[in-house]
Amino acid sequence: QVQLVESGGGLVQPGGSLRLSCSASGSIFSINRMGWYRQAPGKQRDMVATITSSGTTNYADSVKGRFTISRDNAKKMVYLQMNSLKPEDTAVYYCNADVVTVVPALATIYWGQGTQVTVSS
């Protein structure tokens, strides 16, 4: 089994910053792409940012220049630094990872439980 645990969410004023972290644990052989997605009330879950094992990143247009995704392969962690936050960034943020497990030897997409980010004055 594989677990993804997010942390770092909370309430922040517009223009503020937050850093989300996600830790992967379990029967992990390797992790390919990792990413962050978000879901606002009444809306679908959308991609925010992804990063490959070699460090190639991809961002949603709405967060380019404000958010930065990074990862530590040795620690099996992915981070999302969020700057210049806006009220429209309010959502539950989910960590996502494409994990190859040891037993069974399979590649599977895993999700964290989500962490709430609220941007409000």
Side-chain angles (χ1 to χ4, degrees):
Q1 293 293 329
V2 173
Q3 297 80 39
L4 300 180
V5 178
E6 302 104 333
S7 61
L11 173 64
V12 63
Q13 292 186 343
S17 298
L18 280 176
R19 187 187 192 219
L20 305 183
S21 300
C22 174
S23 175
S25 63
S27 179
I28 298 172
F29 176 75
S30 64
I31 304 176
N32 298 322
R33 186 163 55 188
M34 303 184 80
W36 290 94
Y37 291 69
R38 67 186 180 187
Q39 187 168 20
K43 296 188 176 181
Q44 67 180 20
R45 188 176 298 185
D46 292 326
M47 186 276 290
V48 175
T50 63
I51 183 168
T52 67
S53 56
S54 59
T56 300
T57 58
N58 184 42
Y59 295 92
D61 288 342
S62 59
V63 306
K64 283 181 181 176
R66 300 188 298 123
F67 291 10
T68 302
I69 188 171
S70 61
R71 65 188 282 174
D72 185 326
N73 291 329
K75 294 182 178 180
K76 298 183 180 63
M77 294 193 70
V78 63
Y79 308 95
L80 186 67
Q81 178 66 44
M82 305 185 292
N83 299 328
S84 303
L85 282 161
K86 304 175 181 180
E88 50 263 43
D89 294 317
T90 296
V92 177
Y93 283 70
Y94 296 90
C95 174
N96 164 285
D98 182 6
V99 177
V100 178
T101 51
V102 176
V103 178
L106 290 175
T108 308
I109 301 295
Y110 290 89
W111 291 90
Q113 81 287 353
T115 185
Q116 177 70 46
V117 172
T118 302
V119 184
S120 175
S121 55

